[in-house]
Amino acid sequence: MENISVCGMDLKDYLIEMEEFHGGRSPGMLVGAVLLDATMARMQHTEALGVVAETINCLPDAVQLLTPCTVGNGLLRIFNWSKFAITAYDRTTFKGVRAWLVAEAIPDWPAVHQWFNRPDPLKGLPPFDELAESFLAGRHALVDTSEAIVLDSKLTDDHPRETGLCPQCRESYPLSWGGTCPACQGLAYYTVTKTPG
């Protein structure tokens, strides 16, 4: 692979850190790094960086590895839209740059096409190095940006939410959910098999 960098990090170093952070080499994290790099190259430097990832798949890990924006500190927001797109913005002005994977260009890059569209399931996925080489060679055609992005509203809620105890489970929850917590409203992602205590 050619000697390039993403967000100021040498690509070879990024691949090593990707393996340590993500558990292996991830095509989605490579795409995420290139999308993020495209946004950052077109933005003025800001100490108030915020990022939106438009998929839960891999892109958020690239953001968390390459920027101070994480899910935990609230500076990375994730929309589960299954779109390979990232917006980086200044949290004080809400102006930013959005980058996305250009769907129409993907078929021109066979390894990227086989990974992204999977037209021939019998072929399986291309090896990471082959895919990375193809994606990096075509990145100028595969990635587009818009610099005229203004976020409609703040993505973080600066107002503390009133909390209380759920009358059923006795756990604290935001009262904006209603009379009981989401789990007790039937939205639990788990089943209690043994009563505590």
PDB file of all heavy atoms in Angstrom, residues 54-84:
ATOM      1  N   GLU A  54     -23.267   7.719  10.584  1.00  0.00           N
ATOM      2  CA  GLU A  54     -24.610   7.352  10.145  1.00  0.00           C
ATOM      3  C   GLU A  54     -24.815   5.845  10.028  1.00  0.00           C
ATOM      4  O   GLU A  54     -25.732   5.390   9.345  1.00  0.00           O
ATOM      5  CB  GLU A  54     -24.938   8.064   8.838  1.00  0.00           C
ATOM      6  CG  GLU A  54     -24.980   9.575   9.007  1.00  0.00           C
ATOM      7  CD  GLU A  54     -25.305  10.330   7.739  1.00  0.00           C
ATOM      8  OE1 GLU A  54     -25.905   9.744   6.806  1.00  0.00           O
ATOM      9  OE2 GLU A  54     -24.953  11.521   7.673  1.00  0.00           O
ATOM     10  N   THR A  55     -23.982   5.079  10.697  1.00  0.00           N
ATOM     11  CA  THR A  55     -24.160   3.637  10.807  1.00  0.00           C
ATOM     12  C   THR A  55     -23.538   3.188  12.112  1.00  0.00           C
ATOM     13  O   THR A  55     -22.619   3.827  12.627  1.00  0.00           O
ATOM     14  CB  THR A  55     -23.533   2.871   9.626  1.00  0.00           C
ATOM     15  OG1 THR A  55     -23.760   1.464   9.800  1.00  0.00           O
ATOM     16  CG2 THR A  55     -22.040   3.113   9.516  1.00  0.00           C
ATOM     17  N   ILE A  56     -24.035   2.095  12.632  1.00  0.00           N
ATOM     18  CA  ILE A  56     -23.436   1.526  13.847  1.00  0.00           C
ATOM     19  C   ILE A  56     -22.267   0.622  13.495  1.00  0.00           C
ATOM     20  O   ILE A  56     -21.514   0.220  14.370  1.00  0.00           O
ATOM     21  CB  ILE A  56     -24.469   0.724  14.671  1.00  0.00           C
ATOM     22  CG1 ILE A  56     -25.050  -0.441  13.859  1.00  0.00           C
ATOM     23  CG2 ILE A  56     -25.563   1.619  15.183  1.00  0.00           C
ATOM     24  CD1 ILE A  56     -25.904  -1.397  14.657  1.00  0.00           C
ATOM     25  N   ASN A  57     -22.086   0.308  12.214  1.00  0.00           N
ATOM     26  CA  ASN A  57     -21.082  -0.653  11.779  1.00  0.00           C
ATOM     27  C   ASN A  57     -19.734  -0.003  11.520  1.00  0.00           C
ATOM     28  O   ASN A  57     -19.587   0.736  10.546  1.00  0.00           O
ATOM     29  CB  ASN A  57     -21.555  -1.376  10.511  1.00  0.00           C
ATOM     30  CG  ASN A  57     -22.808  -2.170  10.754  1.00  0.00           C
ATOM     31  OD1 ASN A  57     -22.933  -2.825  11.778  1.00  0.00           O
ATOM     32  ND2 ASN A  57     -23.745  -2.096   9.835  1.00  0.00           N
ATOM     33  N   CYS A  58     -18.789  -0.241  12.357  1.00  0.00           N
ATOM     34  CA  CYS A  58     -17.362   0.054  12.166  1.00  0.00           C
ATOM     35  C   CYS A  58     -16.974   1.533  12.126  1.00  0.00           C
ATOM     36  O   CYS A  58     -15.959   1.904  12.699  1.00  0.00           O
ATOM     37  CB  CYS A  58     -16.809  -0.638  10.926  1.00  0.00           C
ATOM     38  SG  CYS A  58     -16.983  -2.440  10.977  1.00  0.00           S
ATOM     39  N   LEU A  59     -17.735   2.382  11.455  1.00  0.00           N
ATOM     40  CA  LEU A  59     -17.353   3.795  11.358  1.00  0.00           C
ATOM     41  C   LEU A  59     -17.162   4.435  12.726  1.00  0.00           C
ATOM     42  O   LEU A  59     -16.195   5.183  12.919  1.00  0.00           O
ATOM     43  CB  LEU A  59     -18.388   4.599  10.556  1.00  0.00           C
ATOM     44  CG  LEU A  59     -18.635   4.241   9.099  1.00  0.00           C
ATOM     45  CD1 LEU A  59     -19.517   5.301   8.451  1.00  0.00           C
ATOM     46  CD2 LEU A  59     -17.366   4.061   8.323  1.00  0.00           C
ATOM     47  N   PRO A  60     -18.049   4.164  13.709  1.00  0.00           N
ATOM     48  CA  PRO A  60     -17.834   4.775  15.020  1.00  0.00           C
ATOM     49  C   PRO A  60     -16.497   4.393  15.658  1.00  0.00           C
ATOM     50  O   PRO A  60     -15.891   5.214  16.352  1.00  0.00           O
ATOM     51  CB  PRO A  60     -19.019   4.256  15.849  1.00  0.00           C
ATOM     52  CG  PRO A  60     -20.084   3.977  14.847  1.00  0.00           C
ATOM     53  CD  PRO A  60     -19.338   3.464  13.637  1.00  0.00           C
ATOM     54  N   ASP A  61     -16.031   3.180  15.408  1.00  0.00           N
ATOM     55  CA  ASP A  61     -14.735   2.786  15.970  1.00  0.00           C
ATOM     56  C   ASP A  61     -13.603   3.596  15.366  1.00  0.00           C
ATOM     57  O   ASP A  61     -12.651   3.968  16.053  1.00  0.00           O
ATOM     58  CB  ASP A  61     -14.490   1.287  15.768  1.00  0.00           C
ATOM     59  CG  ASP A  61     -15.249   0.443  16.775  1.00  0.00           C
ATOM     60  OD1 ASP A  61     -15.909   1.000  17.661  1.00  0.00           O
ATOM     61  OD2 ASP A  61     -15.166  -0.801  16.673  1.00  0.00           O
ATOM     62  N   ALA A  62     -13.686   3.894  14.069  1.00  0.00           N
ATOM     63  CA  ALA A  62     -12.658   4.737  13.429  1.00  0.00           C
ATOM     64  C   ALA A  62     -12.646   6.119  14.067  1.00  0.00           C
ATOM     65  O   ALA A  62     -11.584   6.671  14.361  1.00  0.00           O
ATOM     66  CB  ALA A  62     -12.919   4.839  11.918  1.00  0.00           C
ATOM     67  N   VAL A  63     -13.829   6.674  14.300  1.00  0.00           N
ATOM     68  CA  VAL A  63     -13.929   8.003  14.914  1.00  0.00           C
ATOM     69  C   VAL A  63     -13.322   7.988  16.308  1.00  0.00           C
ATOM     70  O   VAL A  63     -12.540   8.871  16.678  1.00  0.00           O
ATOM     71  CB  VAL A  63     -15.398   8.477  14.969  1.00  0.00           C
ATOM     72  CG1 VAL A  63     -15.518   9.777  15.755  1.00  0.00           C
ATOM     73  CG2 VAL A  63     -15.966   8.633  13.557  1.00  0.00           C
ATOM     74  N   GLN A  64     -13.650   6.971  17.097  1.00  0.00           N
ATOM     75  CA  GLN A  64     -13.153   6.898  18.472  1.00  0.00           C
ATOM     76  C   GLN A  64     -11.648   6.683  18.530  1.00  0.00           C
ATOM     77  O   GLN A  64     -10.988   7.113  19.469  1.00  0.00           O
ATOM     78  CB  GLN A  64     -13.879   5.790  19.240  1.00  0.00           C
ATOM     79  CG  GLN A  64     -15.345   6.120  19.443  1.00  0.00           C
ATOM     80  CD  GLN A  64     -16.091   5.072  20.221  1.00  0.00           C
ATOM     81  OE1 GLN A  64     -16.519   5.330  21.340  1.00  0.00           O
ATOM     82  NE2 GLN A  64     -16.259   3.895  19.642  1.00  0.00           N
ATOM     83  N   LEU A  65     -11.102   6.032  17.522  1.00  0.00           N
ATOM     84  CA  LEU A  65      -9.661   5.787  17.480  1.00  0.00           C
ATOM     85  C   LEU A  65      -8.880   7.026  17.020  1.00  0.00           C
ATOM     86  O   LEU A  65      -7.780   7.278  17.490  1.00  0.00           O
ATOM     87  CB  LEU A  65      -9.365   4.604  16.555  1.00  0.00           C
ATOM     88  CG  LEU A  65      -7.947   4.088  16.500  1.00  0.00           C
ATOM     89  CD1 LEU A  65      -7.484   3.615  17.874  1.00  0.00           C
ATOM     90  CD2 LEU A  65      -7.846   2.934  15.512  1.00  0.00           C
ATOM     91  N   LEU A  66      -9.474   7.824  16.135  1.00  0.00           N
ATOM     92  CA  LEU A  66      -8.745   8.929  15.508  1.00  0.00           C
ATOM     93  C   LEU A  66      -9.058  10.310  16.069  1.00  0.00           C
ATOM     94  O   LEU A  66      -8.390  11.276  15.717  1.00  0.00           O
ATOM     95  CB  LEU A  66      -9.014   8.927  13.996  1.00  0.00           C
ATOM     96  CG  LEU A  66      -8.421   7.743  13.235  1.00  0.00           C
ATOM     97  CD1 LEU A  66      -8.992   7.676  11.828  1.00  0.00           C
ATOM     98  CD2 LEU A  66      -6.902   7.827  13.203  1.00  0.00           C
ATOM     99  N   THR A  67     -10.077  10.417  16.913  1.00  0.00           N
ATOM    100  CA  THR A  67     -10.455  11.725  17.458  1.00  0.00           C
ATOM    101  C   THR A  67     -10.730  11.578  18.950  1.00  0.00           C
ATOM    102  O   THR A  67     -10.866  10.466  19.452  1.00  0.00           O
ATOM    103  CB  THR A  67     -11.731  12.293  16.785  1.00  0.00           C
ATOM    104  OG1 THR A  67     -12.871  11.571  17.258  1.00  0.00           O
ATOM    105  CG2 THR A  67     -11.655  12.245  15.277  1.00  0.00           C
ATOM    106  N   PRO A  68     -10.890  12.689  19.644  1.00  0.00           N
ATOM    107  CA  PRO A  68     -11.297  12.616  21.048  1.00  0.00           C
ATOM    108  C   PRO A  68     -12.804  12.368  21.202  1.00  0.00           C
ATOM    109  O   PRO A  68     -13.311  12.310  22.318  1.00  0.00           O
ATOM    110  CB  PRO A  68     -10.909  13.983  21.618  1.00  0.00           C
ATOM    111  CG  PRO A  68     -10.686  14.872  20.467  1.00  0.00           C
ATOM    112  CD  PRO A  68     -10.455  14.030  19.258  1.00  0.00           C
ATOM    113  N   CYS A  69     -13.523  12.214  20.101  1.00  0.00           N
ATOM    114  CA  CYS A  69     -14.978  12.023  20.143  1.00  0.00           C
ATOM    115  C   CYS A  69     -15.307  10.559  20.388  1.00  0.00           C
ATOM    116  O   CYS A  69     -14.918   9.685  19.606  1.00  0.00           O
ATOM    117  CB  CYS A  69     -15.598  12.479  18.827  1.00  0.00           C
ATOM    118  SG  CYS A  69     -15.262  14.205  18.427  1.00  0.00           S
ATOM    119  N   THR A  70     -16.015  10.297  21.474  1.00  0.00           N
ATOM    120  CA  THR A  70     -16.419   8.933  21.805  1.00  0.00           C
ATOM    121  C   THR A  70     -17.904   8.905  22.142  1.00  0.00           C
ATOM    122  O   THR A  70     -18.520   9.940  22.400  1.00  0.00           O
ATOM    123  CB  THR A  70     -15.632   8.377  23.007  1.00  0.00           C
ATOM    124  OG1 THR A  70     -16.026   9.081  24.198  1.00  0.00           O
ATOM    125  CG2 THR A  70     -14.123   8.493  22.804  1.00  0.00           C
ATOM    126  N   VAL A  71     -18.456   7.713  22.172  1.00  0.00           N
ATOM    127  CA  VAL A  71     -19.839   7.546  22.593  1.00  0.00           C
ATOM    128  C   VAL A  71     -19.974   7.970  24.052  1.00  0.00           C
ATOM    129  O   VAL A  71     -20.911   8.672  24.432  1.00  0.00           O
ATOM    130  CB  VAL A  71     -20.296   6.085  22.410  1.00  0.00           C
ATOM    131  CG1 VAL A  71     -21.680   5.869  22.996  1.00  0.00           C
ATOM    132  CG2 VAL A  71     -20.278   5.707  20.931  1.00  0.00           C
ATOM    133  N   GLY A  72     -19.008   7.585  24.870  1.00  0.00           N
ATOM    134  CA  GLY A  72     -19.060   7.857  26.302  1.00  0.00           C
ATOM    135  C   GLY A  72     -19.034   9.328  26.663  1.00  0.00           C
ATOM    136  O   GLY A  72     -19.712   9.746  27.606  1.00  0.00           O
ATOM    137  N   ASN A  73     -18.275  10.141  25.926  1.00  0.00           N
ATOM    138  CA  ASN A  73     -18.242  11.565  26.275  1.00  0.00           C
ATOM    139  C   ASN A  73     -19.298  12.370  25.515  1.00  0.00           C
ATOM    140  O   ASN A  73     -19.394  13.577  25.661  1.00  0.00           O
ATOM    141  CB  ASN A  73     -16.835  12.169  26.088  1.00  0.00           C
ATOM    142  CG  ASN A  73     -16.363  12.224  24.648  1.00  0.00           C
ATOM    143  OD1 ASN A  73     -17.123  12.135  23.696  1.00  0.00           O
ATOM    144  ND2 ASN A  73     -15.050  12.374  24.480  1.00  0.00           N
ATOM    145  N   GLY A  74     -20.087  11.690  24.695  1.00  0.00           N
ATOM    146  CA  GLY A  74     -21.192  12.341  24.006  1.00  0.00           C
ATOM    147  C   GLY A  74     -20.805  13.152  22.788  1.00  0.00           C
ATOM    148  O   GLY A  74     -21.657  13.780  22.169  1.00  0.00           O
ATOM    149  N   LEU A  75     -19.533  13.150  22.415  1.00  0.00           N
ATOM    150  CA  LEU A  75     -19.091  13.940  21.266  1.00  0.00           C
ATOM    151  C   LEU A  75     -19.219  13.170  19.949  1.00  0.00           C
ATOM    152  O   LEU A  75     -19.048  13.735  18.873  1.00  0.00           O
ATOM    153  CB  LEU A  75     -17.656  14.424  21.469  1.00  0.00           C
ATOM    154  CG  LEU A  75     -17.436  15.264  22.725  1.00  0.00           C
ATOM    155  CD1 LEU A  75     -15.984  15.716  22.816  1.00  0.00           C
ATOM    156  CD2 LEU A  75     -18.375  16.461  22.761  1.00  0.00           C
ATOM    157  N   LEU A  76     -19.493  11.873  20.050  1.00  0.00           N
ATOM    158  CA  LEU A  76     -19.788  11.053  18.884  1.00  0.00           C
ATOM    159  C   LEU A  76     -21.235  10.608  18.991  1.00  0.00           C
ATOM    160  O   LEU A  76     -21.620   9.964  19.969  1.00  0.00           O
ATOM    161  CB  LEU A  76     -18.874   9.827  18.823  1.00  0.00           C
ATOM    162  CG  LEU A  76     -19.266   8.731  17.816  1.00  0.00           C
ATOM    163  CD1 LEU A  76     -19.271   9.265  16.392  1.00  0.00           C
ATOM    164  CD2 LEU A  76     -18.336   7.533  17.946  1.00  0.00           C
ATOM    165  N   ARG A  77     -22.014  10.979  18.017  1.00  0.00           N
ATOM    166  CA  ARG A  77     -23.410  10.540  17.947  1.00  0.00           C
ATOM    167  C   ARG A  77     -23.531   9.552  16.803  1.00  0.00           C
ATOM    168  O   ARG A  77     -22.881   9.708  15.760  1.00  0.00           O
ATOM    169  CB  ARG A  77     -24.338  11.729  17.707  1.00  0.00           C
ATOM    170  CG  ARG A  77     -24.337  12.744  18.828  1.00  0.00           C
ATOM    171  CD  ARG A  77     -24.839  12.176  20.164  1.00  0.00           C
ATOM    172  NE  ARG A  77     -26.169  11.637  20.073  1.00  0.00           N
ATOM    173  CZ  ARG A  77     -27.277  12.277  20.390  1.00  0.00           C
ATOM    174  NH1 ARG A  77     -27.213  13.514  20.861  1.00  0.00           N
ATOM    175  NH2 ARG A  77     -28.446  11.701  20.259  1.00  0.00           N
ATOM    176  N   ILE A  78     -24.350   8.545  16.991  1.00  0.00           N
ATOM    177  CA  ILE A  78     -24.508   7.501  15.986  1.00  0.00           C
ATOM    178  C   ILE A  78     -25.978   7.392  15.614  1.00  0.00           C
ATOM    179  O   ILE A  78     -26.838   7.253  16.486  1.00  0.00           O
ATOM    180  CB  ILE A  78     -24.007   6.146  16.517  1.00  0.00           C
ATOM    181  CG1 ILE A  78     -22.539   6.254  16.951  1.00  0.00           C
ATOM    182  CG2 ILE A  78     -24.189   5.057  15.461  1.00  0.00           C
ATOM    183  CD1 ILE A  78     -22.039   5.061  17.731  1.00  0.00           C
ATOM    184  N   PHE A  79     -26.242   7.471  14.308  1.00  0.00           N
ATOM    185  CA  PHE A  79     -27.574   7.218  13.782  1.00  0.00           C
ATOM    186  C   PHE A  79     -27.538   5.881  13.063  1.00  0.00           C
ATOM    187  O   PHE A  79     -26.686   5.662  12.209  1.00  0.00           O
ATOM    188  CB  PHE A  79     -28.012   8.326  12.821  1.00  0.00           C
ATOM    189  CG  PHE A  79     -28.180   9.660  13.487  1.00  0.00           C
ATOM    190  CD1 PHE A  79     -27.510  10.771  13.023  1.00  0.00           C
ATOM    191  CD2 PHE A  79     -28.995   9.805  14.598  1.00  0.00           C
ATOM    192  CE1 PHE A  79     -27.664  12.011  13.634  1.00  0.00           C
ATOM    193  CE2 PHE A  79     -29.151  11.037  15.220  1.00  0.00           C
ATOM    194  CZ  PHE A  79     -28.490  12.134  14.740  1.00  0.00           C
ATOM    195  N   ASN A  80     -28.433   5.001  13.400  1.00  0.00           N
ATOM    196  CA  ASN A  80     -28.461   3.671  12.809  1.00  0.00           C
ATOM    197  C   ASN A  80     -29.209   3.705  11.477  1.00  0.00           C
ATOM    198  O   ASN A  80     -30.273   3.120  11.323  1.00  0.00           O
ATOM    199  CB  ASN A  80     -29.115   2.689  13.788  1.00  0.00           C
ATOM    200  CG  ASN A  80     -28.938   1.257  13.341  1.00  0.00           C
ATOM    201  OD1 ASN A  80     -28.224   0.960  12.397  1.00  0.00           O
ATOM    202  ND2 ASN A  80     -29.615   0.349  14.021  1.00  0.00           N
ATOM    203  N   TRP A  81     -28.625   4.400  10.503  1.00  0.00           N
ATOM    204  CA  TRP A  81     -29.224   4.561   9.185  1.00  0.00           C
ATOM    205  C   TRP A  81     -28.595   3.617   8.166  1.00  0.00           C
ATOM    206  O   TRP A  81     -29.001   3.601   7.011  1.00  0.00           O
ATOM    207  CB  TRP A  81     -29.056   5.990   8.694  1.00  0.00           C
ATOM    208  CG  TRP A  81     -29.799   7.029   9.473  1.00  0.00           C
ATOM    209  CD1 TRP A  81     -30.723   6.828  10.474  1.00  0.00           C
ATOM    210  CD2 TRP A  81     -29.686   8.445   9.315  1.00  0.00           C
ATOM    211  NE1 TRP A  81     -31.181   8.031  10.940  1.00  0.00           N
ATOM    212  CE2 TRP A  81     -30.566   9.049  10.245  1.00  0.00           C
ATOM    213  CE3 TRP A  81     -28.944   9.260   8.485  1.00  0.00           C
ATOM    214  CZ2 TRP A  81     -30.707  10.417  10.359  1.00  0.00           C
ATOM    215  CZ3 TRP A  81     -29.087  10.625   8.598  1.00  0.00           C
ATOM    216  CH2 TRP A  81     -29.964  11.198   9.522  1.00  0.00           C
ATOM    217  N   SER A  82     -27.574   2.870   8.555  1.00  0.00           N
ATOM    218  CA  SER A  82     -26.849   1.965   7.647  1.00  0.00           C
ATOM    219  C   SER A  82     -26.296   2.696   6.429  1.00  0.00           C
ATOM    220  O   SER A  82     -26.266   2.159   5.327  1.00  0.00           O
ATOM    221  CB  SER A  82     -27.732   0.793   7.226  1.00  0.00           C
ATOM    222  OG  SER A  82     -28.064   0.005   8.338  1.00  0.00           O
ATOM    223  N   LYS A  83     -25.851   3.936   6.632  1.00  0.00           N
ATOM    224  CA  LYS A  83     -25.235   4.716   5.565  1.00  0.00           C
ATOM    225  C   LYS A  83     -23.765   4.931   5.922  1.00  0.00           C
ATOM    226  O   LYS A  83     -23.456   5.319   7.037  1.00  0.00           O
ATOM    227  CB  LYS A  83     -25.941   6.060   5.419  1.00  0.00           C
ATOM    228  CG  LYS A  83     -27.384   5.946   4.957  1.00  0.00           C
ATOM    229  CD  LYS A  83     -28.076   7.283   4.941  1.00  0.00           C
ATOM    230  CE  LYS A  83     -27.720   8.043   3.697  1.00  0.00           C
ATOM    231  NZ  LYS A  83     -28.541   9.254   3.527  1.00  0.00           N
ATOM    232  N   PHE A  84     -22.891   4.679   4.971  1.00  0.00           N
ATOM    233  CA  PHE A  84     -21.474   4.929   5.193  1.00  0.00           C
ATOM    234  C   PHE A  84     -21.222   6.412   4.978  1.00  0.00           C
ATOM    235  O   PHE A  84     -20.847   6.855   3.895  1.00  0.00           O
ATOM    236  CB  PHE A  84     -20.614   4.051   4.282  1.00  0.00           C
ATOM    237  CG  PHE A  84     -20.336   2.703   4.879  1.00  0.00           C
ATOM    238  CD1 PHE A  84     -21.348   1.762   5.025  1.00  0.00           C
ATOM    239  CD2 PHE A  84     -19.071   2.375   5.333  1.00  0.00           C
ATOM    240  CE1 PHE A  84     -21.104   0.535   5.595  1.00  0.00           C
ATOM    241  CE2 PHE A  84     -18.811   1.142   5.908  1.00  0.00           C
ATOM    242  CZ  PHE A  84     -19.836   0.217   6.036  1.00  0.00           C
TER     243      PHE A  84
END
